[in-house]
């Protein structure tokens, strides 16, 4: 199947700093990627839809100024958590579809963010 | 609103069969998906249904009844490695998933 690579897998940062998470489609081009957040023992919650060459679409309740999304190429989307706080500590996962019309999403390995 | 419900936890014995249920109420429906997720890892695709009925893939089967807003995932010949969370997700529109709360399955020897 298609491969989505996410980096870093784990990051610890100090409160108030910013953290960038990368999501790459390795063997296909993705005009659209998705960012999810998962708190412990809870399910994935969609944060935003990342669109190549245009602004991301954010879900209700997600602060777009805090979670900056950039999708500058067909194989890379980045999520930057700005001015991180301990409550932002979570598991962040990206996903993409390998072709138009596909219904199976491929997920990155996830990034465990801990803000101290 | 969107509502997808699954049992929180289930326990079963190695070699047995287990059924994980999922009920949903969503605006828009383009299919129901099941994903497996081991702790700290990304979900991996198991099965999906668009039409009513049973889809079988090896040890895993998934059933859908759209009129009842109900699906289940059936796991046969359980193995220890099947201990994981199982996520039910409804596809709304073309790309947008809404995930259920997930069911943590523990397989005992």
């Amino acid at each position: 199947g298609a491969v989505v690579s996410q980096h870093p897998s784990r990051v610890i940062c100090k409160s108030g700093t910013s953290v960038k998470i990368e999501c790459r489609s390795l063997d296909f081009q993705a005009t659209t990627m998705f960012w999810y957040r998962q708190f412990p023992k809870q399910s994935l919650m969609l944060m935003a839809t990342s669109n190549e060459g245009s602004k991301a679409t954010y879900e209700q309740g997600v602060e777009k100024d805090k979670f900056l999304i950039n999708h500058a190429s067909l194989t890379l989307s980045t999520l930057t958590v700005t001015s991180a706080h301990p409550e932002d500590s979570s598991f962040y996962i990206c996903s993409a579809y390998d072709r138009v019309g596909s219904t199976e999403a491929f997920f990155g390995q996830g990034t465990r963010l801990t803000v101290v | 609103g969107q509502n997808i419900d699954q049992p929180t936890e289930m326990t079963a014995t190695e070699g047995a069969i287990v059924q994980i249920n999922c009920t949903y109420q969503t605006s828009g429906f383009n299919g129901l998906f099941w994903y497996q997720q081991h702790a700290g890892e990304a979900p991996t695709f198991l099965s999906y249904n668009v039409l009513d009925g049973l889809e079988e893939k090896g040890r895993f089967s998934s059933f859908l009844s759209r009129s009842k807003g109900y699906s289940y995932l059936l796991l046969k010949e359980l193995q220890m490695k099947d201990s994981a969370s199982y996520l039910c997700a409804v596809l709304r529109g073309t790309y947008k998933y809404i995930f259920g709360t997930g069911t943590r399955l523990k397989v005992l020897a």
Side-chain angles (χ1 to χ4, degrees), chain A residues 38-102:
Chain A
Q38 186 177 32
F39 291 106
K41 297 188 178 181
Q42 295 186 25
S43 193
L44 282 75
M45 296 297 293
L46 180 65
M47 297 175 66
T49 303
S50 172
N51 304 299
E52 188 268 334
S54 65
K55 290 182 180 179
T57 306
Y58 290 82
E59 295 300 302
Q60 195 171 10
V62 178
E63 299 174 60
K64 61 181 179 181
D65 294 330
K66 180 168 183 63
F67 298 99
L68 300 179
I69 290 173
N70 185 279
H71 196 150
S73 78
L74 286 170
T75 58
L76 174 65
S77 174
T78 60
L79 169 69
T80 301
V81 183
T82 62
S83 187
H85 291 287
E87 56 265 31
D88 298 324
S89 298
S90 187
F91 192 53
Y92 293 86
I93 309 177
C94 67
S95 76
Y97 293 85
D98 63 345
R99 62 189 186 280
V100 175
S102 172

Side-chain angles (χ1 to χ4, degrees), chain B residues 1-5 23-28 68-69 90 92 98:
Chain B
Q2 321 296 332
N3 209 31
I4 302 177
D5 290 318
T23 57
Y24 65 91
Q25 284 181 309
T26 60
S27 55
K68 295 181 180 176
V90 170
R92 291 180 56 212
I98 305 295

Side-chain angles (χ1 to χ4, degrees), chain B residues 32-45:
Chain B
L32 189 135
F33 291 71
W34 286 94
Y35 283 84
Q36 180 191 61
Q37 186 181 27
H38 286 99
E41 297 180 12
T44 54
F45 171 79

Side-chain angles (χ1 to χ4, degrees), chain B residues 62-79:
Chain B
S62 58
F63 171 83
L64 175 67
S65 168
R66 287 172 296 169
S67 62
K68 295 181 180 176
Y70 168 69
S71 173
Y72 67 72
L73 179 70
L74 196 70
L75 292 81
K76 303 175 187 175
E77 301 169 17
L78 278 175
Q79 302 174 8

Side-chain angles (χ1 to χ4, degrees), chain B residues 5-7 10 19-23 34 70-73 88 103:
Chain B
D5 290 318
Q6 305 176 233
M10 297 182 73
Q19 178 175 313
I20 302 174
N21 295 325
C22 171
T23 57
W34 286 94
Y70 168 69
S71 173
Y72 67 72
L73 179 70
C88 166
T103 299

Side-chain angles (χ1 to χ4, degrees), chain B residues 8 18 30 33 46 54 77 79-80 86 98-99:
Chain B
T8 306
V18 71
N30 266 3
F33 291 71
L46 289 178
L54 188 69
E77 301 169 17
Q79 302 174 8
M80 299 298 288
Y86 291 85
I98 305 295
F99 281 87

